[in-house]
Amino acid sequence: MGQEESTPIDESSPPFTLETRTVEGLAKYIKDGRARRIVVMSGAGISTSAGIPDFRSPDTGLYANLARLNLPYAEAVFSIDYFRQKPEPFYELASELFPGKFRPTITHSFITLLHRKGLLLKHFTQNIDCLDREAGLPGEMTVEAHGSFATQRCIDCKLPYPDDEMLEKVKNKDIPCCKNESCNGLVKPDIVFFGEALPAEFFANRELPQQADLAIIMGSSLTVMPFAGLPQLVREETPRLLINLERVGGIGSRRDDVLLLEDCDSGVKKLAEALGWLEELEEMWATTGVKFGVEPEKKEEEGMRKSKDEKLEDEITKLTKDVDETLLLCEKHESRVRSDFDREAKKLLEKQMKMGDSGDEQEGDDDAPPAAEGSKGHRLSHVFGHLKKGSSL
Ligand code: OAD
C-alpha cells in the first residue's frame, strides 16, 4: 500500500463525484441512479453480530481465543501443512462455526436488498459462513474468496464428500476421510487455507471493482492478500464507503471515500434510512429469523412508529381534548343545575306567595316536582346556595 493510499484526505478537498463526502451524499448519488454497479467487499465483521467471532479483534477475535486448541501459532488452525499433520484443532473449531446455527445479520440482508434492487454487481467476501446465502443472496452473486463450508473434498485426490455425512462428522467432531478407500486422504471443507490458492472464480472476477460505480467495504481488517488489494482496484473517482469499527486499508485517503467507523449493522441502517429503504430492509431481515424461531415483529401500529415528539404532541392533543370536554360538561352541568334551581325556586316562590295568601308555613312539600337528575334532594335552595346568590332570580 503506497503512502498516498493511507494518508487521510484533507477535509477541504472537495469530492470528484459525490456532492458531499457523507452518507447523505452517497444516498443522493444512489438515488440519482448513478450507482448501478455496486461492488461489496466484506469480512468477518459483518457476521460478528450473528455470534461468529472475527479473527483479529484483540479480545473477542478467534485468534485471541484459541489457546484451548494448543496451536503452535493461532493461524495454524487454517494452515494446510498443519492440517495434514493435525486436523483435530480445525474440526474442533469447525463444529463451533459450522453453518446452520447462525442467523444472518441485517448487513447480510442489506447486500441482498442491493441485489433485489438490481444494483449489486458482485459481493466479494472472505467469509466462510454462507450467511449471505442464508439471507437470500443467490450463490452466483458472491465470490467466496476464501471458500466456504458449503462443499468439501479430499485434500489429496479431490473427490467430493457428501454433505449429509460431513454434517454428521462435524457434529460429532469426527475427522472425515476420503470415500475412495485406496486414497483415504483427509477431507476438508472447501475453505482456502494459508498455503492454498484462491478459487479461480476470484481471479475471474477480479476486474469487476474497476467497473464499479460504488464500492462498499465492510467488516474487514483488509490484511490478507490478495483480497485486501481489491479496494485499490476501484477507480480513483469512484466513491468507496467503508463501514468498519476502525479505519483500514487506506480507505479515507481518496476524495470520494466516505467513512462510517462504527458497527456494520448500524452503518447499513443509516445508509438505508438515508435512501428511504429502512422499512423494507427491516422487513427483509425479519424473514431470516423465522428459521431460528424469531417471529417477525408484528408490523408496528401507526402510533408505535411515531417519533418521540409526535407521541408527545399526540398526548398533549388528547389532554387538551379531555380538558375541553370536561369544561364543556361542567358548563352544561352548571347550566342544567342553574335551570333546575331556577325552576324550583320559581315554584317555591309561587307556593310561598300562595301560602302567604293562605297563612300556611309548611316546610315539607310532597307536591314539589322531582329533583333534577343528579341532584340529591329537592331543597335546592340549600344545596345550591352559591348558585342562588348569583342567580338572576
Ligand atoms: P479480521 O478479524 O481480520 O477483521 C475484522 C474487521 O472487522 C476488524 O477491522 C474489526 O475491527 C472489524 N469489525 C469487527 N466487528 C465489527 C462490526 N460488528 N462492525 C464493524 N466492524 C467490525 O477479519 P477479516 O478481515 O475478515 O482467512 O480476515 C481476513 C481473513 O483472515 C479471513 O478470511 C481468514 C483470516 O485468517 C482465512 O481463514 C483464510
Side-chain angles (χ1 to χ4, degrees):
M1 195 187 311
Q3 185 60 32
E4 266 183 359
E5 277 285 303
S6 62
T7 313
I9 191 73
D10 173 2
E11 282 303 317
S12 62
S13 324
F16 291 122
T17 308
L18 296 174
E19 281 179 24
T20 57
R21 234 177 343 251
T22 58
V23 174
E24 289 70 29
L26 262 179
K28 180 161 193 310
Y29 176 69
I30 298 171
K31 281 196 282 192
D32 287 349
R34 295 171 68 204
R36 293 172 178 276
R37 287 164 302 166
I38 302 177
V39 163
V40 174
M41 301 163 186
S42 69
I46 72 164
S47 298
T48 51
S49 65
I52 305 174
D54 68 3
F55 295 89
R56 297 179 178 79
S57 282
D59 298 319
T60 54
L62 206 58
Y63 292 151
N65 289 285
L66 292 181
R68 68 205 145 95
L69 299 182
N70 291 319
L71 297 161
Y73 57 99
E75 294 184 0
V77 72
F78 294 117
S79 150
I80 192 66
D81 292 339
Y82 187 77
F83 180 80
R84 275 184 190 283
Q85 298 161 32
K86 221 170 172 248
E88 293 81 5
F90 169 75
Y91 274 102
E92 176 75 32
L93 200 62
S95 71
E96 292 164 25
L97 299 180
F98 207 74
K101 290 192 262 185
F102 304 97
R103 179 186 173 185
T105 66
I106 199 162
T107 302
H108 293 98
S109 293
F110 180 75
I111 302 169
T112 306
L113 185 59
L114 287 178
H115 168 65
R116 296 212 180 141
K117 291 197 176 282
L119 303 178
L120 184 70
L121 182 59
K122 208 55 125 180
H123 173 215
F124 289 84
T125 189
Q126 299 163 93
N127 297 347
I128 55 179
D129 53 30
C130 306
L131 286 187
D132 47 356
R133 299 184 203 197
E134 281 281 346
L137 189 66
E140 70 272 13
M141 292 310 298
T142 299
V143 172
E144 288 168 329
H146 295 170
S148 81
F149 273 109
T151 52
Q152 50 283 318
R153 68 198 64 244
C154 167
I155 59 172
D156 295 323
C157 75
K158 310 295 176 203
L159 183 70
Y161 190 84
D163 294 348
D164 49 347
E165 289 185 42
M166 182 69 176
L167 186 61
E168 273 308 296
K169 293 278 182 190
V170 169
K171 256 199 231 159
N172 302 326
K173 297 185 192 172
D174 282 346
I175 315 291
C177 287
C178 186
K179 291 290 220 184
N180 177 353
E181 282 172 17
S182 65
C183 171
N184 204 32
L186 288 166
V187 168
K188 170 182 91 53
D190 291 332
I191 293 168
V192 179
F193 275 26
F194 292 107
E196 290 189 308
L198 266 62
E201 200 198 359
F202 175 80
F203 298 100
N205 287 285
R206 221 179 160 196
E207 301 307 309
L208 294 183
Q210 274 168 299
Q211 297 169 23
D213 40 31
L214 171 61
I216 303 179
I217 301 123
M218 302 189 275
S220 176
S221 61
L222 293 180
T223 47
V224 177
M225 284 300 219
F227 191 99
L230 290 179
Q232 290 178 39
L233 301 178
V234 174
R235 280 168 304 162
E236 183 73 25
E237 69 282 7
T238 299
R240 299 185 301 181
L241 166 66
L242 173 72
I243 311 179
N244 208 59
L245 292 179
E246 52 182 343
R247 184 171 172 247
V248 293
I251 320 281
S253 57
R254 293 190 185 173
R255 285 166 66 164
D256 288 279
D257 283 351
V258 178
L259 299 182
L260 276 181
L261 300 185
E262 59 184 274
D263 176 72
C264 288
D265 294 347
S266 61
V268 297
K269 281 202 228 167
K270 264 185 201 162
L271 180 56
E273 181 148 41
L275 284 161
W277 300 351
L278 187 56
E279 202 173 322
E280 196 179 353
L281 173 65
E282 285 178 334
E283 276 170 15
M284 186 182 272
W285 184 57
T287 63
T288 66
V290 175
K291 198 173 148 185
F292 298 86
V294 183
E295 285 303 317
E297 273 177 31
K298 285 208 182 74
K299 214 168 163 12
E300 286 186 329
E301 297 290 331
E302 175 83 17
M304 290 171 73
R305 274 207 303 273
K306 290 184 174 173
S307 71
K308 258 190 190 168
D309 284 353
E310 285 171 329
K311 282 181 191 165
L312 191 66
E313 206 168 290
D314 284 358
E315 199 63 26
I316 292 170
T317 311
K318 188 175 170 294
L319 271 174
T320 314
K321 203 169 149 231
D322 286 353
V323 169
D324 283 352
E325 277 172 2
T326 309
L327 283 174
L328 193 68
L329 271 178
C330 285
E331 273 170 22
K332 277 187 183 163
H333 185 67
E334 184 183 327
S335 86
R336 195 171 60 212
V337 167
R338 226 180 250 281
S339 77
D340 283 350
F341 174 80
D342 288 352
R343 203 170 54 239
E344 288 297 310
K346 205 171 165 194
K347 278 188 179 168
L348 270 174
L349 202 63
E350 282 169 6
K351 212 166 200 175
Q352 272 171 4
M353 284 170 71
K354 270 190 210 159
M355 280 168 62
D357 290 346
S358 64
D360 190 1
E361 279 238 356
Q362 197 179 335
E363 271 248 325
D365 186 6
D366 292 336
D367 296 336
E373 201 188 340
S375 69
K376 291 249 164 52
H378 33 249
R379 299 206 174 272
L380 297 175
S381 55
H382 297 298
V383 179
F384 297 112
H386 60 294
L387 287 184
K388 194 180 172 196
K389 262 192 214 158
S391 125
S392 55
L393 270 179

